[in-house]
């Protein structure tokens, strides 16, 4: 079996390793769901989600688009020396960012804790803020492992961190430490991983502080902060408004559904971890535009299929893993999964906009979408609560994907099979509507399998997965 995997094409082999890392990490995170929902009240679970969304927001700001800048400048470097020089300077930027973050956020911790919904304590705020400062430092080392195609080391780092976090958090939850127990586990695992990655990065590329380069990198990565903030508004800010409107206990249902919905992104991520790191270099190769369009289209197919998988598995997992008081989350999961697929498809289609020397256009598009979402949240959530949040996000994300595609094609044309992609998307929506969400039975299982097979048949019929390629891969596996 190992020999068969070793003889696979490198892109497929690396994607499998990334998939294994994600499966391991998210499997452990899934293990935490029944533990957390049994040892945390819905109010505590909602409060933990508020802290996690704070982490989402601040990680975007302090990250400064450093990983994307590494892919852009080191990934398109003409030689190894320039590649490592770009990595060393971006590593230096991440260290400066981490130190500043630590000092500023700890000074502002009392204000942050009082400003958040859900009665967040000062200790909880300080714990999550220290972890965030360390996370900003390891962004470049993790991205460098992907760029250098060191998928095995990436697996050890990401999976090891989650294993350590869960191993510490579960006993602390059982001892009654509640939210603080989860945050302490996060902090210890982050300190451990950052120590290892900082050493490896320094050994491989060194560290540099060329402030002239900092300026050029900031011109590219800086606007991505606004892209990230817009993504936060589109993906997480609705939960803060919900918590303020209906309380953290009621919001916990929606927050749990969002966790399962975002598992769509987890299923897509193995492909993204490989493709986003090398898409710029792929474009420079022979027949680059055609290959980029083909790979990006495959990414969208994977996103749609992942959405359907989560729509089947999510409701069943909620019923199995959580107390009945959390089962209200089931009704939201399919529609949040589709939102995650739309969000991912937008990132995949944004190649042209991201290939310029700056990222102002993606920032403007995302900020406009965020403004639409924010206005819709304030209008719809007070009336329709969770369904209002979902409807508002659909309005914003559909507007965003249309504009992003148009702008990206103007910037750098890729021959996407647009009609086929739209047809497959509409077919996926029909499957989602027909997908059963009742308790698992033989009839529900068979209906779900038939719907998934119909999607796969559609991808083959439309030419996204050529039969010839499937036959070649299967033949190669049999020979090995």
């Amino acid at each position: 079996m190992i020999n068969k995997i070793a003889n696979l094409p490198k892109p497929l082999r690396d994607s499998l390793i990334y998939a294994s890392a994600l499966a391991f990490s998210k499997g452990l995170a899934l293990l935490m769901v029944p533990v957390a929902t049994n040892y945390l009240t819905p109010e505590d679970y909602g409060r933990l989600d508020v802290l996690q969304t704070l982490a989402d927001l601040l990680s975007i700001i302090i990250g400064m688009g450093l990983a994307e800048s590494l892919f852009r400048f080191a990934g398109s470097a003409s030689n190894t020396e320039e590649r490592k020089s770009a990595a060393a300077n971006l590593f230096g930027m991440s260290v400066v960012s981490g130190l500043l973050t630590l000092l500023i956020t700890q000074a502002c911790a009392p204000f942050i804790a009082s400003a958040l919904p859900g009665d967040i304590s000062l200790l909880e705020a300080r714990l999550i803020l220290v972890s965030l400062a360390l996370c900003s430092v390891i962004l470049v080392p993790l991205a460098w492992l992907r760029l250098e195609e060191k998928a095995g080391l990436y697996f050890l780092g990401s999976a090891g961190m989650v294993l350590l976090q869960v191993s510490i958090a579960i006993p602390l939850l059982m001892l009654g430490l509640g939210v603080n127990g989860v945050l302490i586990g996060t902090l210890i695992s982050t300190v451990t991983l950052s120590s290892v990655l900082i050493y490896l990065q320094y050994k491989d590329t060194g560290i540099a502080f060329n402030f002239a380069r900092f300026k050029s990198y900031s011109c590219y990565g800086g606007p991505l902060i606004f892209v990230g903030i817009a993504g936060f508004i589109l993906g997480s800010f609705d939960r803060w408004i919900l918590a303020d409107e209906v309380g953290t206990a009621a919001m916990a249902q929606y927050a749990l559904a969002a966790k399962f919905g975002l598992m769509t992104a987890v299923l897509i991520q193995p492909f993204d971890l490989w493709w986003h790191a090398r898409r710029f270099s792929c474009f420079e190769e022979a027949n680059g535009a055609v290959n980029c369009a083909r790979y990006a289209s495959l990414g969208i197919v994977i996103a749609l299929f992942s959405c359907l998988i989560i729509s089947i598995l999510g409701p069943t997992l909620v019923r199995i893993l959580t107390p009945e008081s959390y089962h209200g989350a089931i009704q939201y999961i399919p529609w949040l999964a589709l939102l995650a697929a739309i969000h991912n498809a937008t990132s995949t289609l944004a190649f042209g906009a991201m290939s310029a020397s700056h990222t102002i256009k993606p920032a403007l598009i995302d900020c406009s979408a965020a403004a639409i979402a924010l206005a819709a949240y304030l209008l719809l959530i007070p009336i329709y609560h969770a369904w209002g949040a979902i409807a508002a996000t659909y309005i914003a994300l559909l507007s965003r994907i249309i504009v992003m595609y148009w702008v990206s094609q103007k910037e750098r044309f890729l021959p996407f099979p647009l009609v086929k992609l739209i047809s497959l998307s509409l077919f996926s929506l029909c499957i989602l509507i027909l997908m059963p969400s009742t308790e698992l039975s033989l009839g529900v299982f068979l209906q779900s399998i038939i719907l998934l097979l119909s999607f796969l048949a559609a991808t083959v019929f439309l030419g996204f997965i050529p039969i010839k390629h499937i036959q070649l891969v299967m033949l190669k596996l049999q020979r090995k």
Side-chain angles (χ1 to χ4, degrees):
M1 181 65 181
I2 294 175
N3 289 334
K4 289 182 178 181
I5 294 174
N7 285 283
L8 289 173
K10 185 168 177 55
L12 180 57
R13 187 171 68 249
D14 285 353
S15 290
L16 286 174
I17 295 174
Y18 289 134
S20 299
L22 286 166
F24 184 81
S25 300
K26 297 306 177 180
L28 289 175
L30 195 61
L31 176 66
M32 280 293 294
V33 170
V35 177
T37 53
N38 277 281
Y39 285 95
L40 295 175
T41 65
E43 290 84 354
D44 287 340
Y45 194 89
R47 200 165 78 254
L48 180 61
D49 187 73
V50 168
L51 288 165
Q52 289 171 336
T53 53
L54 171 68
D56 292 341
L57 172 60
L58 293 184
S59 64
I60 291 162
I61 297 172
I62 64 182
M64 298 175 62
L66 291 173
E68 291 80 4
S69 298
L70 181 73
F71 298 147
R72 175 67 178 84
F73 292 100
S76 59
S78 56
N79 55 66
T80 303
E81 183 180 352
E82 172 57 27
R83 185 182 179 93
K84 289 195 172 185
S85 177
N89 278 281
L90 284 162
F91 182 40
M93 282 186 71
S94 71
V95 171
V96 172
S97 172
L99 290 173
L100 289 175
T101 298
L102 181 63
L103 295 173
I104 294 171
T105 56
Q106 288 302 309
C108 297
F111 169 76
I112 293 172
S114 62
L116 290 172
D119 297 321
I120 304 299
S121 73
L122 180 58
L123 177 60
E124 290 167 349
R126 289 196 185 280
L127 286 171
I128 195 73
L129 291 171
V130 174
S131 297
L132 276 170
L134 290 169
C135 284
S136 70
V137 178
I138 64 176
L139 285 173
V140 169
L142 282 173
W144 179 250
L145 292 178
R146 290 166 56 193
L147 189 63
E148 291 290 282
E149 298 185 337
K150 296 179 179 178
L153 281 176
Y154 184 91
F155 173 89
L156 292 175
S158 59
M161 176 179 172
V162 178
L163 177 61
L164 181 60
Q165 179 183 0
V166 170
S167 299
I168 296 169
I170 290 178
L172 294 180
L173 280 170
M174 291 178 174
L175 289 172
L177 270 70
V179 173
N180 285 333
V182 178
L183 298 177
I184 290 169
T186 301
L187 177 58
I188 294 174
S189 61
T190 305
V191 169
T192 305
L193 179 64
S194 61
S195 300
V196 174
L197 287 178
I198 288 170
Y199 169 76
L200 291 175
Q201 186 71 32
Y202 183 78
K203 183 180 177 182
D204 196 6
T205 66
I207 189 170
F209 298 93
N210 186 330
F211 289 95
R213 286 192 175 224
F214 283 15
K215 182 179 179 180
S216 64
Y217 297 153
S218 297
C219 289
Y220 184 85
L224 292 177
I225 295 175
F226 298 100
V227 172
I229 293 173
F232 167 78
I233 293 173
L234 291 166
S236 301
F237 187 67
D238 55 344
R239 303 211 286 278
W240 284 9
I241 301 177
L242 267 175
D244 197 46
E245 285 287 335
V246 301
T248 54
M251 188 273 286
Q253 310 278 347
Y254 183 77
L256 181 63
K259 276 192 188 304
F260 280 93
L262 287 174
M263 286 174 66
T264 301
V266 174
L267 296 182
I268 306 164
Q269 207 168 2
F271 175 83
D272 283 352
L273 287 170
W274 169 75
W275 172 238
H276 284 198
R278 72 176 307 273
R279 54 185 172 168
F280 297 108
S281 59
C282 178
F283 187 82
E284 302 299 329
E285 297 170 359
N287 211 25
V290 173
N291 288 332
C292 282
R294 187 174 73 251
Y295 281 124
S297 298
L298 180 59
I300 294 172
V301 171
I302 293 171
L304 293 171
F305 186 65
S306 300
C307 162
L308 299 178
I309 290 289
I310 295 304
S311 298
I312 292 172
L313 295 179
T316 299
L317 289 174
V318 169
R319 288 189 177 96
I320 294 172
L321 297 176
T322 67
E324 192 172 346
S325 57
Y326 286 89
H327 289 184
I330 290 171
Q331 59 188 316
Y332 308 124
I333 290 175
W335 307 107
L336 292 173
L338 182 57
L339 283 174
I342 295 171
H343 179 77
N344 180 269
T346 306
S347 300
T348 302
L349 293 172
F351 173 79
M354 294 295 291
S355 63
S357 59
H358 58 79
T359 51
I360 294 174
K361 288 180 180 179
L364 289 174
I365 294 169
D366 282 12
C367 287
S368 299
I372 293 171
L374 185 58
Y377 289 152
L378 295 173
L379 177 65
L380 297 177
I381 288 177
I383 303 171
Y384 301 106
H385 300 160
W387 288 114
I390 292 172
T393 309
Y394 269 104
I395 293 169
L397 287 187
L398 290 173
S399 302
R400 173 176 171 246
I401 192 171
I402 293 169
V403 176
M404 185 68 79
Y405 175 79
W406 181 77
V407 170
S408 291
Q409 290 295 86
K410 286 283 186 180
E411 189 73 36
R412 184 163 289 184
F413 179 79
L414 296 179
F416 286 108
L418 186 58
V419 174
K420 291 182 179 180
L421 286 171
I422 293 173
S423 299
L424 187 64
S425 300
L426 293 175
F427 184 64
S428 301
L429 178 60
C430 293
I431 292 175
L432 195 68
I433 293 170
L434 295 172
M435 196 75 72
S437 60
T438 53
E439 289 192 32
L440 187 62
S441 64
L442 179 60
V444 168
F445 175 76
L446 291 175
Q447 184 180 349
S448 300
I449 293 298
I450 291 170
L451 289 172
L452 286 177
L453 289 175
S454 68
F455 176 86
L456 293 175
T459 62
V460 174
F461 175 76
L462 292 171
F464 291 112
I465 306 177
I467 296 177
K468 177 178 65 177
H469 290 183
I470 297 173
Q471 292 172 338
L472 287 174
V473 171
M474 294 301 295
L475 184 61
K476 187 172 182 179
L477 287 173
Q478 290 171 0
R479 287 176 177 174
K480 301 296 179 181

